[in-house]
Amino acid sequence: MSKNEAQAREELIDLAADFYDQFAGGEIPEMELPTRTKSNIVFDEDSNVWVYGDRTSKRSANSVSGARKLLKAVYTIEFLSDQLEEGRSSTLRELYYLSESWDNEEAQFNSQDESNQLVEDLEIVSGVTREDFHMRPEESGATLMGPLELREQTRRGEREIHCQEDVGEGGYQIPNNPDMIDFLDHDIDFVLAVETGGMRDRLVENGFDEEYNCLVVHLKGQPARATRRITKRLHDELDLPVVVFTDGDPWSYRIYGSVAYGSIKSAHLSEYLATPEADFVGIQPKDIVEYDLPSDPLGDSDINALESELEDPRFQTDYWEEQIELQLDIGKKSEQQALASRGLDFVTDTYLPERLSDMGVL
Amino acid sequence: MSKNEAQAREELIDLAADFYDQFAGGEIPEMELPTRTKSNIVFDEDSNVWVYGDRTSKRSANSVSGARKLLKAVYTIEFLSDQLEEGRSSTLRELYYLSESWDNEEAQFNSQDESNQLVEDLEIVSGVTREDFHMRPEESGATLMGPLELREQTRRGEREIHCQEDVGEGGYQIPNNPDMIDFLDHDIDFVLAVETGGMRDRLVENGFDEEYNCLVVHLKGQPARATRRITKRLHDELDLPVVVFTDGDPWSYRIYGSVAYGSIKSAHLSEYLATPEADFVGIQPKDIVEYDLPSDPLGDSDINALESELEDPRFQTDYWEEQIELQLDIGKKSEQQALASRGLDFVTDTYLPERLSDMGVL
């Protein structure tokens, strides 16, 4: 076991030990958690990420259903602890099915929601992330392409990979747990996180990563945890600027928001996953006007989403208020690939160099 | 330009030359295509794939809208021909936007459906695939892991990659056009195409690819063209058995069907994409019973889908009729990962070895 794994295991066993001590002391065992409802999520102005508020809830064995919850927690702790000791891993879905093999039927999960929530509870109480429990997501992270040499610790030994020279055009596939990666060497000036596959391929085809010493991270729509985690590590450990390039619509601004500020669903992980210093490149509503981009009219759901972003603390800056109000005003949205209306090289020869200079990245 | 590219370009220019000759001969130019409706798709019993039937439709310049269609075709042919000459590529979406820069407004596309359909028309009439036109899909293929050494021709030069030794745990990312790959060397006994990411990761973690000399292809749900194409090439060029491992529900049987027999949407490409020799591993309805797997009840849409599969020529074999009728009878479906109810190693120690022996693959 690595240090991380040993520590994760210890945190889990401490939880079980707490229940034991409560029993031994004649108390009814319980576990205290921040209340995980929307009303108990606050935007932390200092760290610029979403975190849980002060309200807490208790899982107590003072009812049959509460006792069953703690029983399931203890079985899950034992499973995770064994898994870490054996150097194995599993998915959330496997955990749910695996509970059918447990000897105590009362400990088996009734639904996958139940097991998913328990793992999130354990993350919050132990302060250990799911990745350090060796729980894998169902869907993997995306790809990297750029002047980065890394070492990945795989179960088949170490692999040293240069993310331009040792990979095909598809790039380097981010593993489920990007904390298994060490950054060895790099020539990166900035990290460019890109929403769509079509634009990612355009940048790679045009050699943008080579010309500008940029690491292209494909977000693949709403980014997986692994993608957000490696983006944060690139920023924090290599001291690199991170910029996010998406379509110009409210759903894409949320993609930027989840890279930069975290999401409500994983507020307990904001400090592990979010990169508040990440900047937004575009497509800005201003760009739709200035570059006269092909656009589609905003639909009702777009308008509602923009209006709710105006109420969202993540977007309460002069910049975003101006852009969102402009967008509501012009009633249009544009895709990244709409830049192709000026030719296939416009994005790499003109748009990105102009925007990145304006932003002080180039 | 490679031979493929030069040939693709020639086929396109021949099309334009046909229009020219028709004009020169005093005829109204037209283009003849197989009718692309569901009623004109037939299952070819010899090659075991879907192909177009005998009915044809004409795009003729004898109406304004028909003439506009041919004008758009000519502009697109010119664009594709230039693209091939310059060794560049683009996405379908970029083509749509790019048409806004064309000097003739009548040639510009009104919607992306229109440009997508035109590219499909050109594929059919020219007999050249979209990949050989250098049109990239929006979404990329999946990953490979196993004892395969390949050479990928990238625009940055050749890359030689071993799909176990030179990749991280995420595996080798299939490029958009897998025909840029040469197979150099391998130790593969069979190709195992897997539906879900969770199961793909389980097989890799358990070292199934190493123990059984198997190449694990992640299908990622309904597989992309690139994934189906490389699967077919592995079968045809390396003479390898291909088996498909999915969830046990009607939607997953369709995933198997699209790997093995092609899909209605891309019937003109069946011979390029489909692997009729691919066999289905499971989850079989029989497995749900025999291994007593955790299951969910069939919903109405599942039942309808199963019933329509009974009418689908792709599934009119004794094997599939028996399995589908059994499933309707037991009223249950199970996921791949439900095998975890017998422990995390059950799938690699017991289920797959048993099934693959039964099928004569091991």
Side-chain angles (χ1 to χ4, degrees):
Chain A
M1 281 194 287
S2 75
K3 189 163 155 261
N4 259 7
E5 288 159 358
Q7 200 182 329
R9 188 161 174 266
E10 204 170 303
E11 296 285 352
L12 285 167
I13 290 175
D14 281 353
L15 279 180
D18 281 347
F19 298 146
Y20 185 91
D21 292 343
Q22 288 167 346
F23 266 123
E27 294 164 54
I28 298 174
E30 61 177 32
M31 183 162 81
E32 192 167 0
L33 283 158
T35 304
R36 299 177 55 209
T37 55
K38 208 166 170 176
S39 61
N40 193 38
I41 308 247
V42 294
F43 191 72
D44 185 292
E45 306 280 348
D46 295 331
S47 57
N48 261 329
V49 294
W50 288 96
V51 294
Y52 289 113
D54 294 331
R55 281 167 40 214
T56 60
S57 323
K58 278 190 182 128
R59 312 257 188 276
S60 163
N62 64 3
S63 70
V64 174
S65 86
R68 222 181 255 126
K69 273 203 162 78
L70 292 189
L71 181 69
K72 291 173 193 194
V74 172
Y75 267 83
T76 302
I77 287 171
E78 186 180 15
F79 165 71
L80 293 173
S81 156
D82 289 349
Q83 166 163 292
L84 286 165
E85 196 164 45
E86 292 163 15
R88 306 204 57 181
S89 60
S90 53
T91 65
L92 289 168
R93 193 162 291 166
E94 284 178 322
L95 168 63
Y96 161 62
Y97 285 121
L98 196 76
S99 75
E100 298 230 355
S101 68
W102 290 345
D103 54 9
N104 189 328
E105 272 192 33
E106 301 278 349
Q108 297 173 9
F109 295 112
N110 299 314
S111 71
Q112 203 183 331
D113 279 351
E114 194 186 9
S115 52
N116 288 356
Q117 205 197 318
L118 176 62
V119 171
E120 284 185 357
D121 286 353
L122 292 177
E123 275 190 304
I124 295 167
V125 182
S126 68
V128 173
T129 63
R130 196 170 79 194
E131 286 78 2
D132 281 333
F133 293 154
H134 288 195
M135 294 304 293
R136 288 191 304 253
E138 293 303 319
E139 279 317 319
S140 46
T143 58
L144 304 182
M145 177 72 97
L148 171 66
E149 192 182 354
L150 54 79
R151 184 194 299 123
E152 182 185 328
Q153 186 64 52
T154 78
R155 40 190 76 242
R156 294 149 193 224
E158 291 181 348
R159 298 281 186 268
E160 295 192 1
I161 296 171
H162 188 287
C163 299
Q164 278 167 336
E165 292 162 19
D166 300 330
V167 298
E169 293 213 330
Y172 167 73
Q173 171 73 39
I174 303 169
N176 289 315
N177 184 357
D179 286 354
M180 304 311 275
I181 291 174
D182 289 315
F183 301 129
L184 297 181
D185 196 11
H186 77 92
D187 242 328
I188 309 170
D189 289 336
F190 63 99
V191 174
L192 179 59
V194 181
E195 176 180 353
T196 65
M199 182 52 76
R200 180 262 173 209
D201 291 341
R202 165 62 43 221
L203 299 179
V204 170
E205 172 171 333
N206 289 9
F208 192 77
D209 54 316
E210 294 179 318
E211 190 172 345
Y212 288 93
N213 287 335
C214 130
L215 182 75
V216 176
V217 179
H218 182 197
L219 295 173
K220 264 200 209 164
Q222 191 67 41
R225 279 169 67 139
T227 310
R228 287 184 282 154
R229 174 62 182 160
I230 202 162
T231 302
K232 180 178 182 57
R233 286 192 57 206
L234 287 160
H235 174 271
D236 288 4
E237 295 172 34
L238 304 182
D239 200 22
L240 293 171
V242 171
V243 297
V244 180
F245 182 24
T246 68
D247 289 338
D249 63 48
W251 318 102
S252 295
Y253 309 151
R254 288 187 190 175
I255 289 175
Y256 162 71
S258 99
V259 172
Y261 306 114
S263 60
I264 291 174
K265 191 175 157 352
S266 54
H268 58 295
L269 295 164
S270 293
E271 289 176 22
Y272 169 79
L273 295 178
T275 311
E277 301 82 3
D279 272 333
F280 183 69
V281 177
I283 305 291
Q284 313 175 97
K286 196 167 72 166
D287 299 333
I288 302 175
V289 179
E290 287 182 9
Y291 294 100
D292 190 22
L293 297 178
S295 62
D296 288 311
L298 295 177
D300 286 346
S301 67
D302 295 323
I303 293 169
N304 290 339
L306 286 169
E307 278 167 355
S308 97
E309 279 165 8
L310 284 174
E311 306 296 311
D312 182 331
R314 295 181 294 178
F315 294 101
Q316 279 170 3
T317 63
D318 291 348
Y319 170 78
W320 277 109
E321 277 167 21
E322 193 180 307
Q323 292 303 315
I324 292 171
E325 273 160 15
L326 173 62
Q327 185 151 32
L328 287 166
D329 197 41
I330 60 176
K332 294 175 181 173
K333 58 182 179 181
S334 288
E335 297 182 335
Q336 301 192 287
Q337 293 191 69
L339 292 163
S341 65
R342 303 287 200 89
L344 295 180
D345 297 331
F346 183 75
V347 62
T348 47
D349 286 355
T350 307
Y351 178 77
L352 284 175
E354 282 182 8
R355 277 293 294 141
L356 295 169
S357 297
D358 281 355
M359 295 163 72
V361 175
L362 289 190
Chain B
M1 279 195 287
S2 75
K3 187 159 157 266
N4 258 6
E5 287 159 0
Q7 201 183 328
R9 190 161 172 265
E10 204 171 303
E11 296 284 353
L12 285 168
I13 290 175
D14 281 353
L15 279 181
D18 281 347
F19 298 145
Y20 185 91
D21 292 343
Q22 288 167 347
F23 267 123
E27 293 164 54
I28 297 172
E30 61 176 33
M31 184 162 80
E32 193 167 1
L33 283 158
T35 304
R36 299 175 56 209
T37 56
K38 209 167 169 176
S39 61
N40 193 37
I41 308 249
V42 294
F43 191 72
D44 184 292
E45 305 281 349
D46 296 331
S47 57
N48 261 330
V49 294
W50 288 96
V51 294
Y52 288 113
D54 294 330
R55 279 168 40 214
T56 59
S57 322
K58 279 190 181 128
R59 310 256 187 277
S60 162
N62 65 3
S63 71
V64 174
S65 85
R68 221 180 258 127
K69 272 203 163 79
L70 292 189
L71 180 70
K72 290 173 193 193
V74 172
Y75 266 83
T76 303
I77 287 171
E78 186 182 15
F79 165 71
L80 292 173
S81 156
D82 289 349
Q83 167 163 291
L84 286 165
E85 197 165 43
E86 292 163 17
R88 306 203 58 181
S89 60
S90 53
T91 64
L92 289 169
R93 193 162 292 165
E94 284 177 322
L95 169 63
Y96 161 62
Y97 285 120
L98 196 75
S99 75
E100 298 231 354
S101 68
W102 291 346
D103 54 9
N104 189 328
E105 272 191 34
E106 301 278 348
Q108 297 174 10
F109 296 112
N110 298 315
S111 71
Q112 204 184 329
D113 278 351
E114 195 186 9
S115 52
N116 288 356
Q117 204 197 317
L118 176 61
V119 171
E120 283 185 358
D121 286 352
L122 293 177
E123 277 188 303
I124 295 168
V125 182
S126 67
V128 173
T129 62
R130 196 170 80 194
E131 285 79 1
D132 282 332
F133 293 153
H134 287 196
M135 295 302 295
R136 288 190 305 253
E138 294 302 319
E139 279 316 320
S140 46
T143 57
L144 304 181
M145 178 72 97
L148 171 67
E149 192 182 353
L150 55 79
R151 183 194 301 123
E152 183 185 328
Q153 185 65 51
T154 79
R155 40 189 77 242
R156 294 151 192 222
E158 292 181 347
R159 299 282 186 270
E160 295 193 1
I161 296 171
H162 188 289
C163 300
Q164 276 168 337
E165 291 162 20
D166 300 329
V167 298
E169 294 212 329
Y172 167 72
Q173 171 72 39
I174 303 169
N176 289 316
N177 183 358
D179 286 354
M180 303 311 276
I181 291 174
D182 290 315
F183 301 129
L184 298 181
D185 196 13
H186 77 91
D187 243 328
I188 308 170
D189 289 336
F190 64 98
V191 174
L192 180 59
V194 181
E195 176 180 353
T196 65
M199 182 53 76
R200 179 265 173 209
D201 291 341
R202 165 62 44 222
L203 299 179
V204 170
E205 173 171 332
N206 288 10
F208 192 77
D209 55 316
E210 294 180 318
E211 190 172 345
Y212 288 94
N213 287 334
C214 131
L215 182 74
V216 177
V217 179
H218 181 197
L219 295 174
K220 264 201 211 163
Q222 192 67 41
R225 278 168 67 139
T227 311
R228 287 185 281 153
R229 174 63 182 160
I230 203 161
T231 302
K232 179 178 183 56
R233 287 192 56 205
L234 287 160
H235 174 271
D236 288 2
E237 294 171 35
L238 304 182
D239 199 22
L240 293 171
V242 172
V243 297
V244 180
F245 182 24
T246 69
D247 288 339
D249 63 50
W251 318 102
S252 295
Y253 308 152
R254 288 186 189 175
I255 289 175
Y256 162 71
S258 99
V259 172
Y261 306 114
S263 59
I264 291 175
K265 192 175 156 356
S266 54
H268 58 295
L269 295 164
S270 292
E271 290 177 20
Y272 168 79
L273 295 177
T275 311
E277 301 81 3
D279 273 332
F280 183 69
V281 178
I283 303 292
Q284 314 175 95
K286 195 167 74 165
D287 299 334
I288 302 175
V289 180
E290 286 183 8
Y291 294 100
D292 190 23
L293 297 178
S295 62
D296 287 311
L298 295 177
D300 287 344
S301 67
D302 295 323
I303 292 169
N304 290 339
L306 286 169
E307 279 167 353
S308 97
E309 279 165 7
L310 284 175
E311 306 296 313
D312 182 332
R314 295 181 294 178
F315 293 101
Q316 278 170 3
T317 63
D318 290 349
Y319 170 78
W320 277 109
E321 278 169 19
E322 193 180 306
Q323 292 303 315
I324 292 171
E325 273 160 14
L326 172 63
Q327 185 151 32
L328 287 166
D329 196 42
I330 60 176
K332 292 176 182 172
K333 59 183 178 180
S334 287
E335 297 182 335
Q336 304 193 283
Q337 293 191 69
L339 292 163
S341 65
R342 303 287 200 88
L344 295 180
D345 297 331
F346 183 75
V347 62
T348 46
D349 286 356
T350 307
Y351 177 78
L352 284 176
E354 282 182 8
R355 278 291 294 140
L356 294 169
S357 298
D358 281 355
M359 296 164 70
V361 175
L362 288 190

